[in-house]
Amino acid sequence: MRRISLSRFLIEEQRNKNVISSDLRLLIEVVARACKAISIAIGKGSLAGVLGSAGSDNVQGEVQKKLDVISNEILLEANEWGGHLAAMASEEMEFPHAIPNRYPKGEYLLLFDPLDGSSNIDVNVSVGTIFSVLQCPEGMEPDEQAFLQPGSRQVCAGYAVYGPTTLLVLTIGDGVHVFTLDRELGSFVLSQENVRIPEETREFAINASNARYWEPPVKRYVDELLAGKEGPRGEDFNMRWVASMVADVHRIMSRGGIFMYPLDSKTVKQGGKLRLLYEANPMAFIVEQAGGAATDGRRRILDVVPERLHQRIPVILGSKNEVERATAYHSD
Ligand code: AHM
Ligand code: MG
């Protein structure tokens, strides 16, 4: 079998299609290396004393796990010195992280959720890393303002899933490609090119314990799914909820489905649960590149102009027909 490493894939994308710059190629390779390091730390678990709480809260007021902090550090350190970045922003840090003066600076902005689904770490369920890349607008300081660009301007997005295997799923605006970590060689190998999400699905993902807080359109949509064969949809639907967005989205990339973390009366004040810049935008970019759709119930996620770095947003994404139906119910 012909094995194509991530490095080779990126070099060929650069050479044949001219869709990435050398700096973007370096950036992706460095992020991939950081994901390998995170995967190793997670894999050691209690043997390395990395499980449990870090004893601190992040800017969102959430308790940080030790691995949240470790993963954030790994990504920061890996990306500081290469000269490809203007700045970084993370779900775990209040303000953007400037590149220290001792290093050269580049044109890209890197944003990440270093460890998504971290409530699952201590129970040994899949977690992941989500990242997004923007260009720093010309002549602009790489401060908070520079990051407030709609998701449609992303030049690259990806996620790693630390599950039974470690996967890296990537888009540079030219389809979505999956790489599997070969643990012996320590290299990511192309395992699926041009992933397509089936347009139709009979599987949905939502935290149903929030049902009593949902808005009427979401209640209607889910009630119809739950009614199954006897209901208006005339079909039975299956439900899954891992509570790690990376794992739920990856299932949808693999066999279709719809993922919803909608607006509800519990999170309405903060605008939703998931973060626009670190979670919704990169996932929306990936899902659209795979032929799916992503909205906040009212608008296409990638069109939303962010107002704040840590802004939250409702998320409905996955198989196109279902996302369109759930979104249409919001405007009825
Ligand atoms: P995190 O980035 O702090 O881990 O939070 C985001 C996670 C998502 O991965 C997941 O979809 C959601 O929170 C689960 O929320 P809930 O526990 O309310 O079901
Ligand atoms: Mg997250």
Side-chain angles (χ1 to χ4, degrees):
M1 191 180 86
R2 198 168 67 114
R3 285 166 64 103
I4 298 179
S5 66
L6 175 67
S7 301
R8 176 170 171 184
F9 176 86
L10 293 173
I11 287 172
E12 288 180 349
E13 285 285 299
Q14 192 181 1
R15 194 191 288 152
N16 305 339
K17 300 193 195 155
N18 207 16
V19 283
I20 47 172
S21 65
S22 301
D23 268 4
L24 184 56
R25 177 160 70 80
L26 176 64
L27 187 164
I28 296 168
E29 296 218 49
V30 172
V31 169
R33 209 176 305 138
C35 290
K36 264 184 256 176
I38 296 170
S39 170
I40 290 167
I42 291 170
K44 292 203 168 121
S46 60
L47 301 181
V50 295
L51 301 185
S53 160
S56 52
D57 284 0
N58 67 9
V59 48
Q60 343 261 348
E62 299 158 341
V63 178
Q64 286 181 306
K65 301 274 182 184
K66 282 184 199 159
L67 274 167
D68 282 320
V69 178
I70 293 169
S71 306
N72 194 55
E73 282 301 315
I74 289 175
L75 279 156
L76 289 180
E77 274 174 24
N79 280 287
E80 256 181 5
W81 49 270
H84 51 285
L85 287 185
M88 291 178 252
S90 162
E91 185 181 303
E92 300 298 333
M93 302 185 302
E94 186 163 7
F95 302 109
H97 178 90
I99 300 300
N101 282 332
R102 59 185 182 280
Y103 300 124
K105 289 172 193 57
E107 58 176 315
Y108 293 107
L109 301 169
L110 174 65
L111 302 93
F112 47 80
D113 175 357
L115 203 62
D116 178 60
S118 54
S119 71
N120 274 326
I121 294 169
D122 296 341
V123 291
N124 201 25
V125 168
S126 297
V127 289
T129 296
I130 311 174
F131 69 96
S132 158
V133 183
L134 293 164
Q135 248 158 339
C136 187
E138 243 181 76
M140 205 164 170
E141 282 301 308
D143 53 15
E144 174 161 350
Q145 197 59 38
F147 287 89
L148 305 183
Q149 306 181 39
S152 55
R153 298 234 192 104
Q154 292 171 102
V155 293
C156 168
Y159 62 83
V161 202
Y162 311 113
T165 51
T166 289
L167 300 178
L168 183 74
V169 178
L170 187 72
T171 184
I172 42 181
D174 187 25
V176 181
H177 314 293
V178 182
F179 300 84
T180 301
L181 180 62
D182 180 328
R183 292 183 207 268
E184 276 76 44
L185 292 177
S187 95
F188 278 107
V189 179
L190 182 65
S191 45
Q192 204 186 347
E193 232 175 325
N194 270 316
V195 180
R196 302 302 292 173
I197 301 176
E199 282 185 13
E200 296 289 342
T201 178
R202 269 189 250 140
E203 201 160 71
F204 67 104
I206 192 164
N207 183 342
S209 71
N210 293 324
R212 67 191 185 283
Y213 305 115
W214 293 340
E215 294 185 312
V218 174
K219 227 180 153 352
R220 172 185 168 196
Y221 176 74
V222 175
D223 280 348
E224 288 183 5
L225 301 182
L226 293 175
K229 273 203 184 87
E230 288 74 40
R233 302 296 303 267
E235 281 180 310
D236 286 338
F237 284 77
N238 185 28
M239 192 177 86
R240 287 284 182 272
W241 185 251
V242 183
S244 283
M245 190 188 195
V246 278
D248 281 312
V249 169
H250 193 68
R251 185 185 57 254
I252 290 171
M253 298 299 287
S254 311
R255 64 179 189 212
I258 179 170
F259 169 94
M260 291 185 283
Y261 215 116
L263 197 63
D264 61 37
S265 58
K266 219 167 68 171
T267 55
V268 68
K269 273 211 193 96
Q270 55 188 43
K273 152 101 183 184
L274 299 173
R275 270 64 37 141
L276 173 58
L277 295 179
Y278 316 109
E279 295 167 326
N281 270 345
M283 289 310 201
F285 186 23
I286 293 166
V287 163
E288 281 199 7
Q289 282 291 314
T295 75
D296 70 349
R298 280 132 182 125
R299 307 163 286 181
R300 177 182 177 231
I301 284 176
L302 295 182
D303 288 337
V304 176
V305 181
E307 287 164 14
R308 290 178 315 281
L309 203 53
H310 296 289
Q311 185 169 334
R312 300 187 189 235
I313 189 165
V315 174
I316 300 177
L317 60 73
S319 292
K320 205 171 183 161
N321 295 346
E322 288 304 315
V323 173
E324 282 172 359
R325 177 188 282 266
T327 305
Y329 286 7
H330 283 77
S331 52
D332 277 358

